[in-house]
Each structure stands twice: as structure tokens, then as C-alpha cells.
């Protein structure tokens, strides 16, 4: 298993880090060309695009990865089914612009939905080929393709933005990305399309995909209701400020967490009957993510202004307060993002679904309260509270219901990372106001964070633990 993790992590690291760099560079450029109001329009339509991507997947992707008994013909049948679903969803999205325009009070969504209908189709038909590659553990091709799509999309978006295409620049770039990814995945898997298909393979994966889909469906509303309501009841600029703050708060997940979580299910799915092995992996992952995430959350709280202004420019100062609040939940989101793959690996999508239902209840409650209070900062604050409650319930279901253990065993692995976070908070609390420009202030705070973190690693003994994890990653036996 260690050799598989090494291989998977290597190529996933290349892919994830490359995508983050590309996204940051593209966003840094576009944020200085497009206005917050233009970004708000894109953020509003993306809510619906993500929902249709969810419908197109229908839980089929993870089910294909999990079920090792599916043969080539059965996979082709599932792919053929996904084609019909993608066509239907594309047609629906084509006409979705009319109700969207009524909802937001802006007719621009009519033309936008017609363009993105093409993206919906291609995002739908790439699900099965991509899942087949992950099932075969071909992480190299998946990540290279994803990076290629991001590069082409970014180049197109920047070029069109400079030509004055406004928000259409991002819309067209996103569509191009979906097309490129599908073409490569389709060719490399040699998937065969048939207008007629057998329902038997779909019945074979139905139980798993049903629970996975219901979880994704519920989780969608808990993750996107904030943008939906802000776009409806606040201004497009307010939505853009909030969305930008939220997206930046997700970058640590993309850089640090998704590297690991994206390979958890494909690798651990081979050990679904060995719950103790899966638990050990989860506790090690949680400790590692907390060791990085807790101190990082504190740093980003104190460096929120520098981060936002450096990345996007002065016109995005409206995002600073919301990002500062959301930064407190970064470590929670990092660990939570790994739980889905653990539930899947243990073939307990029933618990995953229950966790999703509870998560949705907490998130929606927090979002609605924040909306009623009338500011994006309140939405961010109550969302952080909801994340905290979800952190508890998800780990209760994992540790007690799935692993037949207890929460104390889980919280023990967070003790030393918590001490690291307290040390960071003390250092930044004592750090005087710096009369520097944004860049140099960010550099100084970054150095303080790094120095205190390294010192803390030695004081808490986490340095030895990290060294041991690196040795394991190199294939040294436990």
C-alpha cells in the first residue's frame, strides 16, 4: 500500500500544486482586469453550474472506483448512460437562463446559460472516463490532463478579458477546460459509446452511487446556499467579495489537503474490510493536517489584509474581514475534507449520507442567520460555527459508528497541533504594527509564522512525527 501511496502522492502533488499556481496567477491577473460586479455575475452562475455537475455525476464516479468487479463492457454501458444524462442536463441548462434572470433580476444569464450548457455536457460525459483512470490508479494522466485544462482555460480567459469580453472571458475559458479534459480522458480510456446499453451494471452500483449522490446533493446546498442567497438579497459586488474570501480560504485545502484526500479512496478502497488499518491511516492524516492547518489558520487570520490585497489588488478590500473570519475554520475544513474518502473506503456511504444531512442542517441554519443579519461578515461567522459542529458530528460517526472506537483517540492527535497554534497566536499578538507596504508586511509575517512553526515542531515533538511520516512515504516499513 505504501508504494501505491508514494506513486499516487507524487503525481497528485504535481497536479494539485500546478493547478493552484495556475489558478492563483490567473485570478491575480483577472482580478485586476475585471470588476467585483463582473466577478459577482460569474459567481452567481457558477452556483448552478456546480449543481448540474453534481447531477451529471449522480454518484457514478466514486461507485466506478469502488466496484472492482466491473468489466470493460459494463463500464461502457455506464458511460453510455452518462451520455444521455449529460445531453439532457445540457438542454435543461440551455434554458435555465430565463429563471436565473428572474431570480437575480438580470437578463445577462440568458446568454451565459447557453454557453455554459456546452460545459455542462462535457463535464457530464467525462465523469466515467476520469473515474476509470482513477480506478486504474493512473494518477499521472489524470493530473497532467487537469493541469492542461487549467492552463488552456486560464490563457483563454485572460486573453478574452484583455479584449473586453468581461465576464464571458471566464465563462468561455471554463467551457474550453471541460472540452479538453473530456477529449483526453475519452481517448486514453478507449471508452466505447453505444446508443443502446444494459441496465444491469447500473443496478450493480446503485446502492453505493445512490448514497453518494444523496450526500453530494445535500452537501451542495450546505456549501452553496450562502452564495445563492447573497446573490439574491445582497449586491453582485457583495457576492464577489464573499466568494473571493471563501475561495481563498479553500486554497490551503487545495495545496495541502487535496493532495492526500484525492488518493484516499482509490487506494484504501482495496481494504474496505480492514477498518483498523483505515482508522490508523485516518488518524495519521488528521494529525498531519492539524499540524499544518491549525498554525496556518492563525497566521492567515492575522495576515488577512496582506493576503487579499497582494493577491487581488486594492479593489478587493471588501473581502478582507470575511476572509479573516473564514481563516479560523481552515484547519477544520482540511480535516473534514478527508472524512468523505474514509467513509467511502470503508464502504459506509450510509454514514457519509447521514453526515451530509447533519452538515446541511448546521450550514443552512448558520447561513440563514447570517443573511438575516445583513452582512457577509455575519454569514462567514455563523458558517465557521457550523463547520465546527460538523467537525464534531463527522468524527463521531467515523470514530464511534464506523471504527467502534471513541472520540478521545481522535482528539489526542490534535493536542500537539493545538499547542503550535497557541504559540502562533501569542507571537502575532505581540508583533507590533508594521509600517511596510503590503508585500513586505506579508513577507515579515510569513517569516514569523515559519520560525515559530519550526520552533514549535521541536518543542512539541511533532518534528519527529513528521520525520517518521516522511520515512514512511519513502517506503520505510513501520
Amino acid at each position: 500500500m505504501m508504494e501505491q501511496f508514494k506513486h499516487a502522492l507524487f503525481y497528485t502533488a504535481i497536479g494539485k500544486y500546478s493547478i493552484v499556481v495556475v489558478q492563483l496567477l490567473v485570478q491575480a491577473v483577472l482580478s485586476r482586469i475585471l470588476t467585483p460586479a463582473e466577478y459577482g455575475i460569474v459567481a452567481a452562475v457558477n452556483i448552478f453550474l456546480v449543481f448540474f455537475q453534481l447531477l451529471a455525476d449522480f454518484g457514478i464516479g466514486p461507485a466506478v472506483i469502488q466496484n472492482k468487479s466491473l468489466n470493460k463492457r459494463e463500464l461502457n454501458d455506464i458511460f453510455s448512460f452518462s451520455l444521455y444524462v449529460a445531453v439532457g442536463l445540457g438542454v435543461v441548462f440551455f434554458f435555465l437562463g430565463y429563471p436565473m434572470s428572474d431570480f437575480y433580476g438580470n437578463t445577462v444569464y440568458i446568454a451565459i446559460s447557453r454557453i455554459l450548457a456546452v460545459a455542462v455536457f462535457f463535464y457530464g460525459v467525462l465523469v466515467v472516463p476520469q473515474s476509470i483512470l482513477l480506478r486504474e490508479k493512473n494518477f499521472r494522466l489524470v493530473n497532467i490532463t487537469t493541469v492542461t485544462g487549467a492552463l488552456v482555460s486560464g490563457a483563454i480567459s485572460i486573453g478574452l478579458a484583455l479584449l473586453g469580453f468581461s465576464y464571458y472571458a471566464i465563462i468561455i475559458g471554463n467551457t474550453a477546460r471541460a472540452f479538453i479534459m473530456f477529449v483526453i480522458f475519452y481517448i486514453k480510456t478507449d471508452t466505447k459509446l453505444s446508443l443502446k446499453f444494459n441496465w444491469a451494471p447500473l443496478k450493480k452500483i446503485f446502492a453505493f452511487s445512490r448514497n453518494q449522490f444523496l450526500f453530494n446533493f445535500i452537501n451542495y446546498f450546505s456549501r452553496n446556499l450562502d452564495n445563492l442567497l447573497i446573490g439574491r438579497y445582497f449586491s453582485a459586488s457583495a457576492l464577489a467579495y464573499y466568494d473571493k474570501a471563501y475561495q481563498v480560504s479553500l486554497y490551503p485545502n487545495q495545496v495541502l489537503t487535496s493532495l492526500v484526500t484525492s488518493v484516499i479512496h482509490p487506494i484504501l478502497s482495496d481494504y474496505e474490510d480492514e477498518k483498523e488499518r483505515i482508522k490508523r491511516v485516518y488518524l495519521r492524516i488528521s494529525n498531519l493536517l492539524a499540524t499544518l492547518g491549525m498554525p496556518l489558520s492563525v497566521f492567515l487570520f492575522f495576515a488577512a489584509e496582506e493576503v487579499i490585497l497582494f493577491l487581488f489588488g486594492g479593489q478587493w478590500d471588501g473581502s478582507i474581514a470575511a476572509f479573516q473570519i473564514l481563516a479560523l475554520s481552515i484547519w477544520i475544513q482540511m480535516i473534514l475534507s478527508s472524512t468523505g474518502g474514509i467513509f467511502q473506503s470503508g464502504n459506509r456511504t450510509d454514514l457519509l449520507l447521514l453526515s451530509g444531512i447533519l452538515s446541511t442542517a448546521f450550514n443552512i441554519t448558520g447561513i440563514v442567520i447570517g443573511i438575516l443579519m445583513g452582512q457577509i461578515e455575519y454569514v462567514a461567522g455563523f458558517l465557521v460555527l457550523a463547520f465546527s459542529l460538523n467537525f464534531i458530528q463527522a468524527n463521531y460517526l467515523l470514530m464511534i459508528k464506523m471504527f467502534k472506537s471513541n472520540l478521545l483517540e481522535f482528539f489526542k492527535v490534535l493536542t500537539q497541533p493545538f499547542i503550535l497554534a497557541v504559540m502562533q497566536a501569542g507571537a502575532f499578538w505581540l508583533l507590533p504594527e508594521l509600517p511596510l507596504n503590503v508585500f513586505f508586511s506579508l513577507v515579515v509575517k510569513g517569516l514569523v509564522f515559519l520560525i515559530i512553526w519550526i520552533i514549535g515542531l521541536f518543542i512539541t515533538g511533532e518534528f519527529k512525527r513528521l520525520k517518521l511520516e516522511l520515512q514512511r512515504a519513502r517506503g520505510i516499513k513501520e
Side-chain angles (χ1 to χ4, degrees):
M1 182 173 70
M2 287 303 301
E3 190 62 33
Q4 289 179 325
F5 262 117
K6 284 170 56 182
H7 177 81
L9 287 174
F10 175 75
Y11 288 111
T12 303
I14 294 175
K16 296 296 181 182
Y17 294 153
S18 299
I19 289 174
V20 170
V21 170
V22 171
Q23 287 178 336
L24 280 173
L25 291 175
V26 171
Q27 290 297 317
V29 175
L30 289 176
S31 296
R32 288 165 169 82
I33 301 174
L34 304 180
T35 66
E38 290 172 314
Y39 257 100
I41 291 173
V42 176
V45 77
N46 274 344
I47 300 170
F48 296 91
L49 177 62
V50 171
F51 180 66
F52 273 69
Q53 287 179 254
L54 181 155
L55 294 177
D57 182 280
F58 204 72
I60 290 175
V64 167
I65 295 173
Q66 183 72 21
N67 195 315
K68 309 301 182 185
S69 66
L70 293 170
N71 58 40
K72 186 70 174 178
R73 186 186 63 187
E74 290 174 320
L75 291 172
N76 286 334
D77 284 331
I78 295 172
F79 173 67
S80 299
F81 170 77
S82 73
L83 174 68
Y84 284 103
V85 173
V87 170
L89 292 175
V91 171
V92 173
F93 202 91
F94 184 89
F95 296 102
L96 189 66
Y98 294 99
M100 285 175 58
S101 295
D102 291 337
F103 184 77
Y104 290 118
N106 192 335
T107 58
V108 299
Y109 296 104
I110 295 175
I112 289 176
S113 69
R114 293 173 179 173
I115 298 173
L116 280 180
V118 179
V120 168
F121 169 76
F122 284 115
Y123 278 125
V125 291
L126 68 77
V127 169
V128 174
Q130 182 180 27
S131 299
I132 290 173
L133 291 170
L134 290 173
R135 183 172 181 257
E136 297 171 349
K137 299 177 179 60
N138 194 341
F139 299 100
R140 177 177 180 272
L141 178 59
V142 170
N143 284 285
I144 290 176
T145 302
T146 306
V147 172
T148 301
L151 283 169
V152 174
S153 173
I156 291 174
S157 295
I158 292 174
L160 293 178
L162 290 172
L163 293 173
F165 276 69
S166 185
Y167 41 79
Y168 286 110
I170 301 177
I171 301 298
I172 297 173
N174 197 351
T175 304
R177 180 188 181 202
F179 171 75
I180 290 169
M181 291 176 64
F182 165 70
V183 170
I184 297 176
F185 288 150
Y186 179 73
I187 293 173
K188 292 299 182 179
T189 55
D190 191 31
T191 313
K192 303 298 183 183
L193 172 65
S194 175
L195 296 180
K196 294 183 179 181
F197 60 88
N198 189 350
W199 287 95
L202 294 165
K203 295 177 181 178
K204 200 172 182 179
I205 64 173
F206 176 72
F208 187 99
S209 62
R210 175 196 59 200
N211 289 333
Q212 181 69 51
F213 171 73
L214 289 174
F215 166 77
N216 290 342
F217 184 84
I218 293 169
N219 190 55
Y220 163 82
F221 287 101
S222 70
R223 288 288 185 173
N224 291 277
L225 185 65
D226 46 358
N227 279 355
L228 188 68
L229 294 181
I230 290 172
R232 175 66 176 84
Y233 294 105
F234 296 176
S235 66
S237 294
L239 173 58
Y241 290 136
Y242 176 83
D243 185 64
K244 191 70 73 176
Y246 190 85
Q247 292 304 317
V248 177
S249 75
L250 295 179
Y251 280 142
N253 258 331
Q254 292 179 280
V255 174
L256 303 172
T257 311
S258 61
L259 170 62
V260 176
T261 57
S262 60
V263 303
I264 286 177
H265 183 208
I267 299 298
L268 291 183
S269 60
D270 293 336
Y271 306 91
E272 68 173 74
D273 295 324
E274 301 180 46
K275 297 297 191 295
E276 186 63 29
R277 180 195 290 260
I278 297 175
K279 184 184 75 173
R280 290 200 305 269
V281 172
Y282 175 62
L283 292 177
R284 286 163 57 185
I285 290 174
S286 296
N287 172 260
L288 175 62
L289 296 179
T291 299
L292 297 169
M294 283 188 176
L296 184 61
S297 291
V298 176
F299 162 67
L300 292 175
F301 175 84
F302 284 99
E305 180 177 358
E306 289 88 346
V307 169
I308 293 294
L309 297 183
F310 173 72
L311 289 177
F312 309 120
Q315 67 172 334
W316 291 93
D317 58 348
S319 298
I320 294 172
F323 173 61
Q324 188 173 38
I325 296 169
L326 290 169
L328 297 174
S329 70
I330 285 175
W331 71 274
I332 294 176
Q333 294 189 68
M334 288 173 65
I335 296 177
L336 272 177
S337 67
S338 69
T339 58
I342 299 297
F343 280 124
Q344 292 169 336
S345 299
N347 202 19
R348 293 302 306 269
T349 53
D350 56 332
L351 292 179
L352 179 64
L353 174 58
L354 176 58
S355 179
I357 293 172
L358 295 172
S359 175
T360 299
F362 289 134
N363 286 357
I364 289 178
T365 301
I367 290 167
V368 170
I369 294 173
I371 292 292
L372 291 175
M373 297 186 73
Q375 292 183 16
I376 60 173
E377 290 79 14
Y378 284 119
V379 177
F382 281 100
L383 200 55
V384 170
L385 176 60
F387 288 155
S388 302
L389 295 173
N390 289 329
F391 181 75
I392 296 173
Q393 60 89 359
N395 283 289
Y396 171 84
L397 292 175
L398 270 179
M399 298 302 298
I400 296 178
K401 296 298 183 180
M402 180 167 154
F403 296 137
K404 308 302 180 184
S405 181
N406 57 74
L407 281 174
L408 182 60
E409 184 177 9
F410 171 74
F411 283 113
K412 278 183 178 179
V413 305
L414 304 183
T415 304
Q416 303 304 324
F418 178 76
I419 295 174
L420 292 174
V422 172
M423 292 178 63
Q424 291 285 343
F428 282 107
W429 187 267
L430 296 174
L431 188 69
E433 191 72 27
L434 303 173
L436 303 171
N437 63 30
V438 169
F439 175 74
F440 287 108
S441 179
L442 182 60
V443 170
V444 171
K445 289 185 176 181
L447 289 174
V448 171
F449 162 74
L450 187 61
I451 292 170
I452 298 300
W453 185 63
I454 292 175
I455 293 174
L457 289 179
F458 283 99
I459 292 176
T460 60
E462 286 297 288
F463 178 80
K464 291 182 179 179
R465 189 189 296 268
L466 288 177
K467 184 178 179 181
L468 178 60
E469 293 297 341
L470 288 175
Q471 290 174 338
R472 285 169 172 167
R474 290 170 184 160
I476 297 179
K477 302 298 182 182
E478 299 182 29

